[in-house]
Amino acid sequence: MIVDCAVYRGGHRIERPADLSDALDAARSAGGFVWIGLHRPSEEEFALVTREFGLHPLAVEDALKAHQRPKLEVYDDSLFLVLKPVVYEPQSDAVSSDEVMVFLGDAFVVTVRHGEGASLAGVRHRLEQEPELLRKGPTAVLYAISDATVDHYLEVAAELQTDLEELEAEVFSPGGGGSRHTASRIYTFKRQILKFRRATGPLATPLARLSGSGQSGTSVPFVHEGSRPFFRDVNDHLMRVNESVEGLDRLVSDVLSAHLAQTGVRQNDDMRKISAWAAMAAVPTMIAGIYGMNFDHMPELHWLWSYPVVIGAMALLEVLLYRTFKRRGWL
């Protein structure tokens, strides 16, 4: 469905065109551009947009099917950028990603949104409050969407850092690291980081091209030359995000290794305790076993003090074993 459609001229919004087919002509005649926002359009709904703006069929197919990696494609009549905004859900400490596709032409911007957490209404509203930026045309829209997406990456990275600190505190607490659910939580957290990385990592190459710092260093069609510093700023923020994601991934791997090591040490402690108690139980069992063999010739059976001596010897050996195991840390 079409969420919003407007023509912009001189950095200001003109009334919404009555007919979509006249929007592009109205924008070009006014020396401005048209911005059409769609949310999960069907093939029939998108067919009119494709026909009016001459969008490339391969890009249209990607926009309809979604589930694309962040990328930048240059076609004869338009530019196609895929972004994956990320949403952090505090209730479940989970990361989910949506998709935003941006078609950019000489006098038009078409945004296709998939998902509920990637609304562009706020971006449009902020741009309309900055006419100086909006005068730069469709490039301003591309920059604003990219900047908003990457800035939100920084917020999500901060939330994940907080979650990791809580997980570290649980693992290294005196009794928390032994929970049977700890390893599952660590693995789940690692999957959230992987999902986050799939959104941020591939975006580095498109932003490098837009900022003019890619391998070729050439300008990208339909993008204003003066916008390179703005995209460089967005690219710098993305580099910070990617460094943060890599750090989180390394730290959570270290936390998992530490948890497994703690589990192994704890199991060894348990085995030592079991072995110590078994050794202590073996001494009276051995002595009692000798006296249960019912031999005919056992002189000590006729000793008056034999029973208390045997009991005392068993108690003395138990005390000696207990002190020895205690001193070695087995008990």
Side-chain angles (χ1 to χ4, degrees), residues 124-157:
R124 189 187 288 262
H125 178 72
R126 285 193 300 273
L127 269 177
E128 291 175 354
Q129 303 304 312
E130 300 181 38
E132 288 297 328
L133 180 59
L134 202 53
R135 284 193 186 98
K136 298 185 181 296
T139 304
V141 178
L142 184 66
Y143 160 72
I145 295 174
S146 303
D147 185 55
T149 300
V150 174
D151 282 349
H152 192 62
Y153 287 164
L154 291 170
E155 298 174 8
V156 174

PDB file of all heavy atoms in Angstrom, residues 124-157:
ATOM      1  N   ARG A 124      10.842  11.274   7.309  1.00  0.00           N
ATOM      2  CA  ARG A 124      10.194  12.251   6.436  1.00  0.00           C
ATOM      3  C   ARG A 124       9.866  13.541   7.203  1.00  0.00           C
ATOM      4  O   ARG A 124      10.079  14.646   6.695  1.00  0.00           O
ATOM      5  CB  ARG A 124       8.918  11.647   5.833  1.00  0.00           C
ATOM      6  CG  ARG A 124       8.278  12.514   4.746  1.00  0.00           C
ATOM      7  CD  ARG A 124       6.944  11.928   4.326  1.00  0.00           C
ATOM      8  NE  ARG A 124       7.069  10.719   3.550  1.00  0.00           N
ATOM      9  CZ  ARG A 124       7.019  10.670   2.211  1.00  0.00           C
ATOM     10  NH1 ARG A 124       6.871  11.792   1.513  1.00  0.00           N
ATOM     11  NH2 ARG A 124       7.111   9.513   1.590  1.00  0.00           N
ATOM     12  N   HIS A 125       9.393  13.378   8.431  1.00  0.00           N
ATOM     13  CA  HIS A 125       9.028  14.559   9.216  1.00  0.00           C
ATOM     14  C   HIS A 125      10.260  15.411   9.526  1.00  0.00           C
ATOM     15  O   HIS A 125      10.211  16.653   9.421  1.00  0.00           O
ATOM     16  CB  HIS A 125       8.350  14.121  10.512  1.00  0.00           C
ATOM     17  CG  HIS A 125       7.983  15.252  11.423  1.00  0.00           C
ATOM     18  ND1 HIS A 125       6.959  16.126  11.151  1.00  0.00           N
ATOM     19  CD2 HIS A 125       8.539  15.665  12.605  1.00  0.00           C
ATOM     20  CE1 HIS A 125       6.883  17.023  12.114  1.00  0.00           C
ATOM     21  NE2 HIS A 125       7.819  16.776  13.011  1.00  0.00           N
ATOM     22  N   ARG A 126      11.377  14.758   9.908  1.00  0.00           N
ATOM     23  CA  ARG A 126      12.592  15.520  10.212  1.00  0.00           C
ATOM     24  C   ARG A 126      13.124  16.235   8.978  1.00  0.00           C
ATOM     25  O   ARG A 126      13.589  17.374   9.058  1.00  0.00           O
ATOM     26  CB  ARG A 126      13.661  14.588  10.781  1.00  0.00           C
ATOM     27  CG  ARG A 126      13.409  14.174  12.225  1.00  0.00           C
ATOM     28  CD  ARG A 126      14.626  13.535  12.843  1.00  0.00           C
ATOM     29  NE  ARG A 126      15.044  12.336  12.141  1.00  0.00           N
ATOM     30  CZ  ARG A 126      14.573  11.119  12.390  1.00  0.00           C
ATOM     31  NH1 ARG A 126      13.662  10.953  13.341  1.00  0.00           N
ATOM     32  NH2 ARG A 126      14.993  10.073  11.708  1.00  0.00           N
ATOM     33  N   LEU A 127      13.061  15.565   7.837  1.00  0.00           N
ATOM     34  CA  LEU A 127      13.524  16.199   6.610  1.00  0.00           C
ATOM     35  C   LEU A 127      12.674  17.419   6.265  1.00  0.00           C
ATOM     36  O   LEU A 127      13.202  18.446   5.814  1.00  0.00           O
ATOM     37  CB  LEU A 127      13.488  15.201   5.450  1.00  0.00           C
ATOM     38  CG  LEU A 127      14.758  14.380   5.204  1.00  0.00           C
ATOM     39  CD1 LEU A 127      14.534  13.398   4.069  1.00  0.00           C
ATOM     40  CD2 LEU A 127      15.938  15.281   4.895  1.00  0.00           C
ATOM     41  N   GLU A 128      11.387  17.305   6.449  1.00  0.00           N
ATOM     42  CA  GLU A 128      10.513  18.428   6.133  1.00  0.00           C
ATOM     43  C   GLU A 128      10.742  19.614   7.064  1.00  0.00           C
ATOM     44  O   GLU A 128      10.340  20.737   6.747  1.00  0.00           O
ATOM     45  CB  GLU A 128       9.055  17.980   6.187  1.00  0.00           C
ATOM     46  CG  GLU A 128       8.698  17.008   5.057  1.00  0.00           C
ATOM     47  CD  GLU A 128       7.284  16.467   5.175  1.00  0.00           C
ATOM     48  OE1 GLU A 128       6.625  16.772   6.204  1.00  0.00           O
ATOM     49  OE2 GLU A 128       6.828  15.751   4.267  1.00  0.00           O
ATOM     50  N   GLN A 129      11.395  19.379   8.212  1.00  0.00           N
ATOM     51  CA  GLN A 129      11.748  20.469   9.119  1.00  0.00           C
ATOM     52  C   GLN A 129      13.101  21.084   8.775  1.00  0.00           C
ATOM     53  O   GLN A 129      13.510  22.053   9.421  1.00  0.00           O
ATOM     54  CB  GLN A 129      11.778  19.947  10.570  1.00  0.00           C
ATOM     55  CG  GLN A 129      10.484  19.308  11.047  1.00  0.00           C
ATOM     56  CD  GLN A 129       9.292  20.221  10.909  1.00  0.00           C
ATOM     57  OE1 GLN A 129       9.348  21.385  11.307  1.00  0.00           O
ATOM     58  NE2 GLN A 129       8.199  19.711  10.345  1.00  0.00           N
ATOM     59  N   GLU A 130      13.806  20.494   7.796  1.00  0.00           N
ATOM     60  CA  GLU A 130      15.121  20.998   7.394  1.00  0.00           C
ATOM     61  C   GLU A 130      15.110  21.281   5.887  1.00  0.00           C
ATOM     62  O   GLU A 130      15.644  20.501   5.092  1.00  0.00           O
ATOM     63  CB  GLU A 130      16.216  19.993   7.733  1.00  0.00           C
ATOM     64  CG  GLU A 130      16.310  19.663   9.215  1.00  0.00           C
ATOM     65  CD  GLU A 130      17.437  18.686   9.507  1.00  0.00           C
ATOM     66  OE1 GLU A 130      18.506  18.799   8.875  1.00  0.00           O
ATOM     67  OE2 GLU A 130      17.238  17.798  10.352  1.00  0.00           O
ATOM     68  N   PRO A 131      14.507  22.372   5.476  1.00  0.00           N
ATOM     69  CA  PRO A 131      14.408  22.661   4.036  1.00  0.00           C
ATOM     70  C   PRO A 131      15.756  22.823   3.347  1.00  0.00           C
ATOM     71  O   PRO A 131      15.883  22.506   2.168  1.00  0.00           O
ATOM     72  CB  PRO A 131      13.593  23.959   4.000  1.00  0.00           C
ATOM     73  CG  PRO A 131      13.700  24.547   5.367  1.00  0.00           C
ATOM     74  CD  PRO A 131      13.840  23.387   6.296  1.00  0.00           C
ATOM     75  N   GLU A 132      16.778  23.297   4.089  1.00  0.00           N
ATOM     76  CA  GLU A 132      18.097  23.452   3.477  1.00  0.00           C
ATOM     77  C   GLU A 132      18.641  22.109   3.023  1.00  0.00           C
ATOM     78  O   GLU A 132      19.244  21.995   1.940  1.00  0.00           O
ATOM     79  CB  GLU A 132      19.065  24.108   4.468  1.00  0.00           C
ATOM     80  CG  GLU A 132      18.797  25.582   4.722  1.00  0.00           C
ATOM     81  CD  GLU A 132      18.974  26.413   3.469  1.00  0.00           C
ATOM     82  OE1 GLU A 132      19.827  26.059   2.630  1.00  0.00           O
ATOM     83  OE2 GLU A 132      18.239  27.409   3.300  1.00  0.00           O
ATOM     84  N   LEU A 133      18.448  21.090   3.824  1.00  0.00           N
ATOM     85  CA  LEU A 133      18.896  19.752   3.450  1.00  0.00           C
ATOM     86  C   LEU A 133      18.012  19.166   2.363  1.00  0.00           C
ATOM     87  O   LEU A 133      18.492  18.528   1.421  1.00  0.00           O
ATOM     88  CB  LEU A 133      18.893  18.835   4.682  1.00  0.00           C
ATOM     89  CG  LEU A 133      19.330  17.380   4.473  1.00  0.00           C
ATOM     90  CD1 LEU A 133      20.752  17.300   3.934  1.00  0.00           C
ATOM     91  CD2 LEU A 133      19.202  16.593   5.776  1.00  0.00           C
ATOM     92  N   LEU A 134      16.703  19.415   2.461  1.00  0.00           N
ATOM     93  CA  LEU A 134      15.759  18.846   1.507  1.00  0.00           C
ATOM     94  C   LEU A 134      15.933  19.453   0.108  1.00  0.00           C
ATOM     95  O   LEU A 134      15.547  18.834  -0.889  1.00  0.00           O
ATOM     96  CB  LEU A 134      14.333  19.063   2.007  1.00  0.00           C
ATOM     97  CG  LEU A 134      13.237  18.133   1.471  1.00  0.00           C
ATOM     98  CD1 LEU A 134      13.614  16.678   1.646  1.00  0.00           C
ATOM     99  CD2 LEU A 134      11.933  18.438   2.180  1.00  0.00           C
ATOM    100  N   ARG A 135      16.528  20.638   0.027  1.00  0.00           N
ATOM    101  CA  ARG A 135      16.766  21.254  -1.283  1.00  0.00           C
ATOM    102  C   ARG A 135      17.762  20.463  -2.123  1.00  0.00           C
ATOM    103  O   ARG A 135      17.829  20.653  -3.339  1.00  0.00           O
ATOM    104  CB  ARG A 135      17.289  22.679  -1.106  1.00  0.00           C
ATOM    105  CG  ARG A 135      16.224  23.696  -0.714  1.00  0.00           C
ATOM    106  CD  ARG A 135      16.718  25.119  -0.870  1.00  0.00           C
ATOM    107  NE  ARG A 135      15.740  26.065  -0.369  1.00  0.00           N
ATOM    108  CZ  ARG A 135      15.788  26.620   0.836  1.00  0.00           C
ATOM    109  NH1 ARG A 135      16.782  26.328   1.659  1.00  0.00           N
ATOM    110  NH2 ARG A 135      14.843  27.464   1.218  1.00  0.00           N
ATOM    111  N   LYS A 136      18.542  19.609  -1.489  1.00  0.00           N
ATOM    112  CA  LYS A 136      19.524  18.822  -2.226  1.00  0.00           C
ATOM    113  C   LYS A 136      18.881  17.706  -3.030  1.00  0.00           C
ATOM    114  O   LYS A 136      19.575  16.948  -3.711  1.00  0.00           O
ATOM    115  CB  LYS A 136      20.574  18.260  -1.267  1.00  0.00           C
ATOM    116  CG  LYS A 136      21.373  19.349  -0.549  1.00  0.00           C
ATOM    117  CD  LYS A 136      22.474  18.763   0.294  1.00  0.00           C
ATOM    118  CE  LYS A 136      23.236  19.856   1.029  1.00  0.00           C
ATOM    119  NZ  LYS A 136      23.939  20.762   0.107  1.00  0.00           N
ATOM    120  N   GLY A 137      17.584  17.551  -2.934  1.00  0.00           N
ATOM    121  CA  GLY A 137      16.866  16.615  -3.784  1.00  0.00           C
ATOM    122  C   GLY A 137      16.822  15.200  -3.256  1.00  0.00           C
ATOM    123  O   GLY A 137      16.936  14.971  -2.040  1.00  0.00           O
ATOM    124  N   PRO A 138      16.665  14.245  -4.145  1.00  0.00           N
ATOM    125  CA  PRO A 138      16.546  12.842  -3.711  1.00  0.00           C
ATOM    126  C   PRO A 138      17.728  12.351  -2.897  1.00  0.00           C
ATOM    127  O   PRO A 138      17.576  11.465  -2.052  1.00  0.00           O
ATOM    128  CB  PRO A 138      16.445  12.086  -5.049  1.00  0.00           C
ATOM    129  CG  PRO A 138      15.904  13.084  -6.013  1.00  0.00           C
ATOM    130  CD  PRO A 138      16.478  14.397  -5.594  1.00  0.00           C
ATOM    131  N   THR A 139      18.927  12.928  -3.128  1.00  0.00           N
ATOM    132  CA  THR A 139      20.093  12.514  -2.347  1.00  0.00           C
ATOM    133  C   THR A 139      19.884  12.758  -0.861  1.00  0.00           C
ATOM    134  O   THR A 139      20.345  11.975  -0.022  1.00  0.00           O
ATOM    135  CB  THR A 139      21.346  13.259  -2.829  1.00  0.00           C
ATOM    136  OG1 THR A 139      21.523  13.039  -4.231  1.00  0.00           O
ATOM    137  CG2 THR A 139      22.576  12.772  -2.104  1.00  0.00           C
ATOM    138  N   ALA A 140      19.186  13.844  -0.527  1.00  0.00           N
ATOM    139  CA  ALA A 140      18.925  14.138   0.883  1.00  0.00           C
ATOM    140  C   ALA A 140      18.087  13.044   1.535  1.00  0.00           C
ATOM    141  O   ALA A 140      18.308  12.681   2.696  1.00  0.00           O
ATOM    142  CB  ALA A 140      18.221  15.492   1.010  1.00  0.00           C
ATOM    143  N   VAL A 141      17.129  12.513   0.794  1.00  0.00           N
ATOM    144  CA  VAL A 141      16.296  11.432   1.329  1.00  0.00           C
ATOM    145  C   VAL A 141      17.141  10.179   1.550  1.00  0.00           C
ATOM    146  O   VAL A 141      17.033   9.515   2.590  1.00  0.00           O
ATOM    147  CB  VAL A 141      15.128  11.143   0.373  1.00  0.00           C
ATOM    148  CG1 VAL A 141      14.282   9.993   0.899  1.00  0.00           C
ATOM    149  CG2 VAL A 141      14.269  12.387   0.179  1.00  0.00           C
ATOM    150  N   LEU A 142      17.988   9.858   0.573  1.00  0.00           N
ATOM    151  CA  LEU A 142      18.850   8.686   0.705  1.00  0.00           C
ATOM    152  C   LEU A 142      19.766   8.827   1.913  1.00  0.00           C
ATOM    153  O   LEU A 142      19.956   7.874   2.679  1.00  0.00           O
ATOM    154  CB  LEU A 142      19.673   8.506  -0.576  1.00  0.00           C
ATOM    155  CG  LEU A 142      20.558   7.269  -0.646  1.00  0.00           C
ATOM    156  CD1 LEU A 142      19.699   6.007  -0.687  1.00  0.00           C
ATOM    157  CD2 LEU A 142      21.463   7.330  -1.875  1.00  0.00           C
ATOM    158  N   TYR A 143      20.324  10.016   2.090  1.00  0.00           N
ATOM    159  CA  TYR A 143      21.212  10.246   3.242  1.00  0.00           C
ATOM    160  C   TYR A 143      20.439  10.134   4.561  1.00  0.00           C
ATOM    161  O   TYR A 143      20.919   9.501   5.510  1.00  0.00           O
ATOM    162  CB  TYR A 143      21.856  11.628   3.130  1.00  0.00           C
ATOM    163  CG  TYR A 143      22.369  12.145   4.440  1.00  0.00           C
ATOM    164  CD1 TYR A 143      23.502  11.599   5.039  1.00  0.00           C
ATOM    165  CD2 TYR A 143      21.686  13.177   5.106  1.00  0.00           C
ATOM    166  CE1 TYR A 143      23.945  12.068   6.267  1.00  0.00           C
ATOM    167  CE2 TYR A 143      22.130  13.642   6.336  1.00  0.00           C
ATOM    168  CZ  TYR A 143      23.264  13.088   6.918  1.00  0.00           C
ATOM    169  OH  TYR A 143      23.705  13.540   8.128  1.00  0.00           O
ATOM    170  N   ALA A 144      19.261  10.753   4.617  1.00  0.00           N
ATOM    171  CA  ALA A 144      18.497  10.758   5.865  1.00  0.00           C
ATOM    172  C   ALA A 144      18.105   9.343   6.280  1.00  0.00           C
ATOM    173  O   ALA A 144      18.178   8.990   7.462  1.00  0.00           O
ATOM    174  CB  ALA A 144      17.260  11.629   5.715  1.00  0.00           C
ATOM    175  N   ILE A 145      17.702   8.517   5.314  1.00  0.00           N
ATOM    176  CA  ILE A 145      17.314   7.139   5.633  1.00  0.00           C
ATOM    177  C   ILE A 145      18.526   6.346   6.101  1.00  0.00           C
ATOM    178  O   ILE A 145      18.470   5.601   7.088  1.00  0.00           O
ATOM    179  CB  ILE A 145      16.656   6.472   4.409  1.00  0.00           C
ATOM    180  CG1 ILE A 145      15.334   7.185   4.064  1.00  0.00           C
ATOM    181  CG2 ILE A 145      16.404   4.997   4.673  1.00  0.00           C
ATOM    182  CD1 ILE A 145      14.688   6.683   2.793  1.00  0.00           C
ATOM    183  N   SER A 146      19.649   6.496   5.400  1.00  0.00           N
ATOM    184  CA  SER A 146      20.865   5.778   5.788  1.00  0.00           C
ATOM    185  C   SER A 146      21.336   6.213   7.165  1.00  0.00           C
ATOM    186  O   SER A 146      21.725   5.386   8.003  1.00  0.00           O
ATOM    187  CB  SER A 146      21.972   6.023   4.756  1.00  0.00           C
ATOM    188  OG  SER A 146      21.560   5.645   3.463  1.00  0.00           O
ATOM    189  N   ASP A 147      21.302   7.525   7.409  1.00  0.00           N
ATOM    190  CA  ASP A 147      21.767   8.047   8.691  1.00  0.00           C
ATOM    191  C   ASP A 147      20.889   7.561   9.836  1.00  0.00           C
ATOM    192  O   ASP A 147      21.398   7.170  10.896  1.00  0.00           O
ATOM    193  CB  ASP A 147      21.769   9.579   8.628  1.00  0.00           C
ATOM    194  CG  ASP A 147      22.355  10.205   9.874  1.00  0.00           C
ATOM    195  OD1 ASP A 147      23.494   9.863  10.227  1.00  0.00           O
ATOM    196  OD2 ASP A 147      21.665  11.019  10.505  1.00  0.00           O
ATOM    197  N   ALA A 148      19.572   7.591   9.642  1.00  0.00           N
ATOM    198  CA  ALA A 148      18.663   7.125  10.692  1.00  0.00           C
ATOM    199  C   ALA A 148      18.868   5.639  10.981  1.00  0.00           C
ATOM    200  O   ALA A 148      18.849   5.204  12.140  1.00  0.00           O
ATOM    201  CB  ALA A 148      17.215   7.388  10.277  1.00  0.00           C
ATOM    202  N   THR A 149      19.094   4.858   9.930  1.00  0.00           N
ATOM    203  CA  THR A 149      19.296   3.416  10.104  1.00  0.00           C
ATOM    204  C   THR A 149      20.566   3.134  10.889  1.00  0.00           C
ATOM    205  O   THR A 149      20.564   2.342  11.844  1.00  0.00           O
ATOM    206  CB  THR A 149      19.360   2.729   8.731  1.00  0.00           C
ATOM    207  OG1 THR A 149      18.136   2.956   8.023  1.00  0.00           O
ATOM    208  CG2 THR A 149      19.573   1.233   8.891  1.00  0.00           C
ATOM    209  N   VAL A 150      21.660   3.784  10.516  1.00  0.00           N
ATOM    210  CA  VAL A 150      22.942   3.525  11.177  1.00  0.00           C
ATOM    211  C   VAL A 150      22.947   4.075  12.598  1.00  0.00           C
ATOM    212  O   VAL A 150      23.508   3.448  13.509  1.00  0.00           O
ATOM    213  CB  VAL A 150      24.098   4.119  10.341  1.00  0.00           C
ATOM    214  CG1 VAL A 150      25.426   3.986  11.079  1.00  0.00           C
ATOM    215  CG2 VAL A 150      24.186   3.418   8.990  1.00  0.00           C
ATOM    216  N   ASP A 151      22.322   5.231  12.818  1.00  0.00           N
ATOM    217  CA  ASP A 151      22.247   5.761  14.179  1.00  0.00           C
ATOM    218  C   ASP A 151      21.495   4.811  15.103  1.00  0.00           C
ATOM    219  O   ASP A 151      21.842   4.661  16.286  1.00  0.00           O
ATOM    220  CB  ASP A 151      21.565   7.130  14.175  1.00  0.00           C
ATOM    221  CG  ASP A 151      22.503   8.230  13.706  1.00  0.00           C
ATOM    222  OD1 ASP A 151      23.721   7.960  13.586  1.00  0.00           O
ATOM    223  OD2 ASP A 151      22.021   9.355  13.446  1.00  0.00           O
ATOM    224  N   HIS A 152      20.459   4.178  14.571  1.00  0.00           N
ATOM    225  CA  HIS A 152      19.733   3.207  15.399  1.00  0.00           C
ATOM    226  C   HIS A 152      20.584   1.962  15.651  1.00  0.00           C
ATOM    227  O   HIS A 152      20.445   1.316  16.695  1.00  0.00           O
ATOM    228  CB  HIS A 152      18.419   2.816  14.725  1.00  0.00           C
ATOM    229  CG  HIS A 152      17.491   2.056  15.625  1.00  0.00           C
ATOM    230  ND1 HIS A 152      16.980   2.585  16.783  1.00  0.00           N
ATOM    231  CD2 HIS A 152      17.004   0.787  15.550  1.00  0.00           C
ATOM    232  CE1 HIS A 152      16.212   1.690  17.385  1.00  0.00           C
ATOM    233  NE2 HIS A 152      16.216   0.586  16.653  1.00  0.00           N
ATOM    234  N   TYR A 153      21.475   1.623  14.719  1.00  0.00           N
ATOM    235  CA  TYR A 153      22.426   0.540  14.963  1.00  0.00           C
ATOM    236  C   TYR A 153      23.240   0.822  16.229  1.00  0.00           C
ATOM    237  O   TYR A 153      23.509  -0.085  17.033  1.00  0.00           O
ATOM    238  CB  TYR A 153      23.387   0.378  13.785  1.00  0.00           C
ATOM    239  CG  TYR A 153      22.800  -0.240  12.539  1.00  0.00           C
ATOM    240  CD1 TYR A 153      23.467  -0.145  11.319  1.00  0.00           C
ATOM    241  CD2 TYR A 153      21.597  -0.925  12.557  1.00  0.00           C
ATOM    242  CE1 TYR A 153      22.956  -0.710  10.163  1.00  0.00           C
ATOM    243  CE2 TYR A 153      21.073  -1.498  11.411  1.00  0.00           C
ATOM    244  CZ  TYR A 153      21.763  -1.378  10.209  1.00  0.00           C
ATOM    245  OH  TYR A 153      21.251  -1.946   9.068  1.00  0.00           O
ATOM    246  N   LEU A 154      23.672   2.069  16.388  1.00  0.00           N
ATOM    247  CA  LEU A 154      24.462   2.440  17.567  1.00  0.00           C
ATOM    248  C   LEU A 154      23.670   2.217  18.849  1.00  0.00           C
ATOM    249  O   LEU A 154      24.213   1.739  19.858  1.00  0.00           O
ATOM    250  CB  LEU A 154      24.902   3.905  17.460  1.00  0.00           C
ATOM    251  CG  LEU A 154      25.940   4.229  16.372  1.00  0.00           C
ATOM    252  CD1 LEU A 154      26.088   5.739  16.219  1.00  0.00           C
ATOM    253  CD2 LEU A 154      27.288   3.602  16.713  1.00  0.00           C
ATOM    254  N   GLU A 155      22.391   2.550  18.824  1.00  0.00           N
ATOM    255  CA  GLU A 155      21.546   2.341  20.000  1.00  0.00           C
ATOM    256  C   GLU A 155      21.395   0.854  20.319  1.00  0.00           C
ATOM    257  O   GLU A 155      21.467   0.446  21.478  1.00  0.00           O
ATOM    258  CB  GLU A 155      20.177   2.984  19.774  1.00  0.00           C
ATOM    259  CG  GLU A 155      20.210   4.494  19.580  1.00  0.00           C
ATOM    260  CD  GLU A 155      18.848   5.059  19.222  1.00  0.00           C
ATOM    261  OE1 GLU A 155      17.863   4.295  19.277  1.00  0.00           O
ATOM    262  OE2 GLU A 155      18.767   6.260  18.889  1.00  0.00           O
ATOM    263  N   VAL A 156      21.199   0.052  19.274  1.00  0.00           N
ATOM    264  CA  VAL A 156      21.055  -1.397  19.487  1.00  0.00           C
ATOM    265  C   VAL A 156      22.358  -1.990  20.010  1.00  0.00           C
ATOM    266  O   VAL A 156      22.351  -2.853  20.906  1.00  0.00           O
ATOM    267  CB  VAL A 156      20.628  -2.082  18.171  1.00  0.00           C
ATOM    268  CG1 VAL A 156      20.625  -3.601  18.330  1.00  0.00           C
ATOM    269  CG2 VAL A 156      19.239  -1.610  17.755  1.00  0.00           C
ATOM    270  N   ALA A 157      23.487  -1.525  19.475  1.00  0.00           N
ATOM    271  CA  ALA A 157      24.790  -2.012  19.950  1.00  0.00           C
ATOM    272  C   ALA A 157      24.971  -1.690  21.437  1.00  0.00           C
ATOM    273  O   ALA A 157      25.505  -2.514  22.201  1.00  0.00           O
ATOM    274  CB  ALA A 157      25.913  -1.396  19.124  1.00  0.00           C
TER     275      ALA A 157
END
